Amino acid sequence: NAGVMQNPRHLVRRRGQEARLRCSPMKGHSHVYWYRQLPEEGLKFMVYLQKENIIDESGMPKERFSAEFPKEGPSILRIQQVVRGDSAAYFCASSPQVGDQPQHFGDGTRLSIL
Amino acid sequence: TQLLEQSPQFLSIQEGENLTVYCNSSSVFSSLQWYRQEPGEGPVLLVTVVTGGEVKKLKRLTFQFGDARKDSSLHITAAQPGDTGLYLCADITTPHGTNAGKSTFGDGTTLTVKP
C-alpha cells in the first residue's frame, strides 16, 4: 500500500489518555477517509474530509472523537479519554480530487488500550 | 442504510482446489469493489465492476456481477497459499454535490489455503 502513509503503526494507550493517529494521503489526493476495523470484521466508515473541511462525519462517535485535515500536514484522527472499546485497527484512505475513484488504503494504526 | 452480506464467513481449503465466495447487497450497488486484505495490512483493491452482468478476470480470479447489480461472486481457480487473506466487497457511495465517496464494506470472507 505504498503512497498512503499512516503512523504510528502500533499505538498503546492507557484508559483515559489521548490517541492521535496520523495519515498522509497519496500525492495529489485531496480526499481522506477514516475507517475502523474490529477483528474479523469489515471496515466501518467514520469520517470523510477534504482539505480543511469535514464533508461527512456520520460514522464517527459524537463524543471523544474528532478529525481534521489541515491545509498543510497530515490528517489527524484524535480520540480523547480512550476506553477499552476503542481498541481496533484504524485505516486511512485517500482518493483523487476529481471523480469517484477507488480509494487507496494505508496499512493502518493498531490501537490497543490497556 | 446499505448492508453487504458476505458468505461464507470462513473458508479453509487445500492448495489446488477451487472456491467461490459471495457478496449480496440490500440495495443496488453504485460501484462494486473487491479487496483483499492480508494480516497487518490495509485492503488492496482487486477489481471494480459497474455494469450488471459484467465478468472480469484477473489471472486465476473471476469476478461476476449480477444482472440486477445486487450481488457478486468471486471465484478462485486452483487456489494457492498466497491467496490466503480476507476478501472484502464494498460499494462506493458518492454524496450529492461531491466528487468522491465513502465505501460501505461487508464483513468479509476469511480464506485459508493450506499447502
Side-chain angles (χ1 to χ4, degrees):
Chain A
N1 290 317
V4 179
M5 304 301 294
Q6 290 188 247
N7 67 82
R9 291 295 310 277
H10 301 273
L11 182 61
V12 179
R13 286 287 179 266
R14 296 189 179 279
R15 282 178 294 173
Q17 291 185 321
E18 178 180 287
R20 282 187 177 233
L21 289 62
R22 298 176 194 78
C23 169
S24 296
M26 286 183 68
K27 186 177 181 180
H29 287 192
S30 60
H31 300 251
V32 166
Y33 313 78
W34 285 93
Y35 294 84
R36 178 164 63 178
Q37 185 178 35
L38 295 173
E40 298 179 351
E41 291 188 8
L43 285 71
K44 299 294 189 287
F45 169 78
M46 298 181 73
V47 62
Y48 160 35
L49 310 100
Q50 293 182 21
K51 283 285 187 181
E52 300 184 276
N53 290 302
I54 295 175
I55 305 302
D56 182 348
E57 56 182 348
S58 59
M60 199 142 77
K62 294 288 186 284
E63 297 180 351
R64 303 188 298 109
F65 285 72
S66 62
E68 62 176 11
F69 189 16
K71 186 176 181 180
E72 302 291 338
S75 175
I76 306 288
L77 178 67
R78 181 183 179 202
I79 310 173
Q80 295 179 289
Q81 300 176 329
V82 296
V83 301
R84 288 250 171 92
D86 297 332
S87 295
Y90 292 83
F91 289 95
C92 168
S94 70
S95 63
Q97 184 174 6
V98 178
D100 57 346
Q101 302 294 322
Q103 299 161 3
H104 299 262
F105 284 85
D107 282 337
T109 293
R110 273 87 188 151
L111 175 64
S112 297
I113 309 302
L114 300 179
Chain B
T1 304
Q2 182 184 28
L3 295 176
L4 301 185
E5 186 173 330
Q6 292 191 244
S7 61
Q9 186 178 1
F10 299 97
L11 186 58
S12 181
I13 61 172
Q14 292 294 135
E15 182 177 3
E17 294 183 351
N18 301 332
L19 68 113
T20 302
V21 298
Y22 302 91
C23 175
N24 291 284
S25 174
S26 59
S27 57
V28 173
F29 280 99
S30 300
S31 174
L32 166 65
Q33 289 85 41
W34 281 96
Y35 292 84
R36 183 172 75 199
Q37 183 181 21
E38 298 189 27
E41 299 183 7
V44 175
L45 180 67
L46 297 174
V47 74
T48 298
V49 286
V50 177
T51 306
E54 187 174 2
V55 177
K56 283 193 174 180
K57 292 192 175 184
L58 182 65
K59 296 184 180 178
R60 294 176 294 100
L61 278 60
T62 302
F63 304 87
Q64 285 193 300
F65 199 17
D67 291 339
R69 299 176 60 229
K70 293 185 68 176
D71 59 274
S72 180
S73 64
L74 161 57
H75 181 80
I76 302 178
T77 303
Q80 301 175 359
D83 296 326
T84 293
L86 177 66
Y87 287 82
L88 297 160
C89 65
D91 190 12
I92 284 188
T93 55
T94 304
H96 178 70
T98 69
N99 290 328
K102 63 185 183 186
S103 292
T104 298
F105 284 85
D107 282 342
T109 293
T110 300
L111 172 65
T112 302
V113 182
K114 300 175 183 177

